[in-house]
Amino acid sequence: MMLKTLLLHRTTTIHSLRCKFNTIPHREMTTGTQSIVSRLKSSGLLQTKGLIGGKWTDAYDGRTIEVNNPASGEVIASVACMGEKETKDAISSAYEAFGHWSKLTGSERSNRLRSWYNLLMEHKEELGELITLEQGKPLKEAIGEVGYGASFLEFFAEEAKRVYGDIIPSTLPDRRVLVIKQPVGVVAAITPWNFPLAMITRKVGPALACGCTVVIKPSEFTPLTALAAAELALQSGIPPGVLNVVMGDAPKIGNSLLESTQVRKITFTGSTAVGKKLMAGAAETVKKVSLELGGNAPCIVFDDADLEVALKGTLATKFRNSGQTCVCANRILVQEGIYEKFTSAFSNAVKDLKVGNGFSEGVVQGPLINEAAVQKVESFVQDAISKGAKVLAGGKRHSLGFTFYEPTIIGDVKNDMLIARQEVFGPVAPIIRFKTEEEAIQIANDTNAGLAAYLFTNSIKRSWRVSETLEYGIVGVNEGLVSTEVAPFGGYKQSGLGREGSKYGLDEYTEIKYICMGNLG
Ligand code: ADP
């Protein structure tokens, strides 16, 4: 009961009555979209059912959810809208498959993961098209996500062979102290829509590498990429039941995953609000928890920065995926000596960013995910203007209408404005002026979030000093793009728990077992 109360909020408000919850008006497909969709269908990559125990499965009550192209509202597919029963069956399949999968050697699991990686790379273009169709990001960026997403499978295929233990010198002569790492068991992976592929592989790669099996619940906005990836996993020889996918009624699926004693780990990327609910829910069965939650990234440009490097880095971190990433700069702090120069060059650069449908040539800014996202951006901008901030570029919905918003720069922002307190998750760059390094650090750390931070300076001493003082899990120094499979990704404070990617990412899916061998004398 308690879990139900904790997670009730979204059940009643959004998902439960109708399996239809997108906020953009639905339209029929244009012929251009139809031809992409039919190509994807004939390649076998357009799957619309859930995957349970290796079988493509309809929702037991036959319900479906429409998936929209956020750039146009076109309905591109209808997928199974699942709930408790399907989730329970997916958990049972994963639990059963664990027995076999966890006993394979690291090298056998590595081979399967490597084949999956190869298949994702072979289908890079089609998967990219699928991402652009359901998520909106420009095709080039979408294909880039496929490479980035696949890199986690390659990396963890290699790491599968290196899940080392320890032998600890004993305090007694006739005793040996051994430590081995074992897979935690069935993993529930709940993922968001902003990186429909990479947020899955970043979790499933390490989980599978060390012998766990998984139930994935992708975002209902972007289930098609997850299903295509699952199809390629099957083709790569990953046995039935090792990887299952259910989607539909998020809180019902979430509750079933939380309540199950067979699910031993929950890994989530998404909003801080949902992450907190999942963490509270996981307490009932004391599951291992990893959370990648919201950020409020400061990007600090010091007077001594290289202007070109700072501009390039800030543009990249702010406007990637139209500002819809949790490591996007959310507050740009600029020192007073470089403020005018930086803001004017930044505003000019932003005016050149081409906005449009992600399939159109030269477009670098796609739509936002839905109408609610645009409304949120609008309200944050209005709040800032009403409190004295100034629009330096953009500042309103794009003339393309629909879910498009102009790349925007707002100057004279103060750290207590809504736009600096919460993640805007859109193409809006708020600029805060500061005088001293101490002031910049104080502003940067004045938030409950602590995921990524950036600083631009030519002083090596300042780089160290500021990096070590920022209360953030990731710091980019003279660099705006920091994500890579080889580095640990994760946040301080309310931005989450645990790390993804790198050798540290593997530990999130293992239990440590201490074996004491006594009386050996
Ligand atoms: P966003 O606002 O970015 O969509 P959410 O946290 O709402 O972020 O969504 C991230 C993921 O969490 C999605 O897969 C979504 O369906 C899922 N989700 C949302 N609410 C719940 C819930 N109550 N229980 C389990 N999963 C949920």
Side-chain angles (χ1 to χ4, degrees):
M1 259 331 276
M2 196 187 133
L3 285 179
K4 296 224 162 66
T5 323
L6 279 168
L7 301 179
L8 198 62
H9 169 66
R10 275 180 76 132
T11 315
T12 47
T13 52
I14 304 178
H15 293 273
S16 75
L17 302 175
R18 299 164 301 143
C19 260
K20 191 174 171 190
F21 54 92
N22 213 336
T23 49
I24 44 184
H26 295 190
R27 291 184 190 152
E28 294 301 309
M29 270 193 268
T30 58
T31 42
T33 308
Q34 262 168 4
S35 74
I36 299 172
V37 168
S38 50
R39 230 184 18 250
L40 288 166
K41 264 191 193 145
S42 53
S43 71
L45 287 184
L46 198 93
Q47 297 293 337
T48 55
K49 299 179 182 183
L51 184 64
I52 301 179
K55 294 201 170 59
W56 293 109
T57 309
D58 279 317
Y60 295 162
D61 60 6
R63 290 198 304 167
T64 57
I65 330 169
E66 287 179 349
V67 183
N68 293 96
N69 177 345
S72 60
E74 295 161 288
V75 179
I76 45 184
S78 290
V79 300
C81 180
M82 300 176 142
E84 273 165 26
K85 289 193 182 122
E86 297 88 341
T87 308
K88 283 188 177 153
D89 288 346
I91 295 169
S92 300
S93 297
Y95 190 72
E96 206 178 300
F98 180 73
H100 169 68
W101 182 250
S102 60
K103 290 196 178 53
L104 292 180
T105 62
S107 138
E108 286 167 323
R109 286 194 297 268
S110 172
N111 289 339
R112 309 296 208 291
L113 278 174
R114 180 76 204 193
S115 307
W116 191 16
Y117 162 79
N118 288 338
L119 282 176
L120 288 178
M121 293 307 281
E122 267 170 42
H123 294 278
K124 205 157 77 166
E125 267 79 27
E126 291 130 294
L127 290 166
E129 286 182 349
L130 201 47
I131 292 175
T132 299
L133 263 186
E134 66 175 353
Q135 198 274 339
K137 67 180 67 168
L139 186 58
K140 196 168 156 215
E141 222 177 301
I143 293 173
E145 181 186 337
V146 181
Y148 172 58
S151 73
F152 289 98
L153 300 184
E154 185 188 39
F155 181 86
F156 286 107
E158 291 155 0
E159 289 297 292
K161 302 175 208 162
R162 298 182 194 118
V163 187
Y164 298 141
D166 261 327
I167 298 179
I168 297 174
S170 168
T171 52
L172 298 174
D174 63 345
R175 189 180 265 199
R176 295 294 176 272
V177 174
L178 280 68
V179 174
I180 60 168
K181 289 187 183 171
Q182 294 190 306
V184 71
V186 175
V187 171
I190 301 180
T191 57
W193 49 263
N194 60 346
F195 289 90
L197 180 71
M199 294 304 101
I200 290 177
T201 51
R202 198 156 81 167
K203 299 177 188 314
V204 176
L208 263 51
C210 62
C212 298
T213 54
V214 287
V215 177
I216 303 167
K217 198 216 73 67
S219 166
E220 286 64 37
F221 296 127
T222 55
L224 299 174
T225 309
L227 297 172
E231 163 63 26
L232 295 174
L234 284 180
Q235 287 181 25
S236 68
I238 290 175
V242 169
L243 185 152
N244 305 272
V245 186
V246 290
M247 67 256 148
D249 190 323
K252 282 200 177 141
I253 294 171
N255 276 335
S256 307
L257 293 168
L258 289 172
E259 280 166 359
S260 167
T261 50
Q262 290 181 335
V263 174
R264 293 307 315 137
K265 155 101 195 182
I266 185 140
T267 170
F268 170 78
T269 298
S271 63
T272 306
V274 172
K276 286 180 180 177
K277 287 180 192 168
L278 295 175
M279 190 175 170
E284 285 288 302
T285 50
V286 193
K287 296 189 202 312
K288 214 169 151 98
V289 179
S290 298
L291 303 169
E292 298 293 350
L293 310 178
N296 182 3
C299 173
I300 312 172
V301 181
F302 288 100
D303 282 348
D304 62 5
D306 178 320
L307 186 63
E308 283 306 308
V309 172
L311 276 172
K312 192 168 158 243
T314 311
L315 267 177
T317 166
K318 176 66 250 183
F319 291 98
R320 189 162 69 113
N321 203 6
S322 299
Q324 301 174 111
T325 89
C326 45
V327 291
C328 275
N330 201 54
R331 297 170 292 159
I332 297 164
L333 280 55
V334 185
Q335 202 162 12
E336 58 183 0
I338 200 174
Y339 187 92
E340 301 306 334
K341 231 193 210 167
F342 179 87
T343 47
S344 105
F346 194 38
S347 306
N348 285 336
V350 161
K351 283 172 193 155
D352 290 338
L353 298 176
K354 187 170 171 194
V355 179
N357 187 312
F359 285 105
S360 305
E361 194 55 39
V363 161
V364 290
Q365 291 292 287
L368 298 193
I369 190 71
N370 54 28
E371 172 62 22
V374 186
Q375 283 175 10
K376 179 181 172 193
V377 169
E378 273 185 317
S379 70
F380 281 23
V381 169
Q382 280 321 311
D383 175 80
I385 294 170
S386 72
K387 291 174 180 155
K390 298 206 170 40
V391 173
L392 304 176
K396 56 184 188 311
R397 283 177 189 251
H398 196 271
S399 54
L400 287 169
F402 214 58
T403 47
F404 291 97
Y405 196 88
E406 291 180 345
T408 295
I409 313 257
I410 310 180
D412 294 324
V413 168
K414 299 281 176 278
N415 203 39
D416 57 1
M417 293 175 182
L418 196 53
I419 205 157
R421 306 307 306 163
Q422 294 180 28
E423 252 182 330
V424 64
F425 234 66
V428 179
I431 305 193
I432 300 174
R433 192 192 293 257
F434 71 90
K435 286 195 173 74
T436 63
E437 183 179 302
E438 292 67 34
E439 187 191 0
I441 291 170
Q442 187 277 322
I443 295 172
N445 286 340
D446 178 23
T447 168
N448 285 328
L451 188 55
Y454 307 86
L455 60 121
F456 291 89
T457 174
N458 269 341
S459 155
I460 189 88
K461 288 185 184 172
R462 174 173 269 161
S463 302
W464 275 108
R465 211 166 46 229
V466 178
S467 296
E468 289 180 351
T469 321
L470 287 169
E471 296 162 354
Y472 288 81
I474 304 166
V475 179
V477 180
N478 294 325
E479 180 56 65
L481 297 175
V482 289
S483 301
T484 155
E485 75 279 12
V486 302
F489 186 103
Y492 281 23
K493 300 186 190 167
Q494 294 183 26
S495 284
L497 291 176
R499 295 293 180 269
E500 293 192 320
S502 80
K503 63 173 183 174
Y504 304 101
L506 208 58
D507 291 339
E508 303 290 332
Y509 298 92
T510 59
E511 287 281 13
I512 286 179
K513 183 174 282 175
Y514 155 44
I515 300 174
C516 177
M517 301 186 70
N519 294 298
L520 295 170

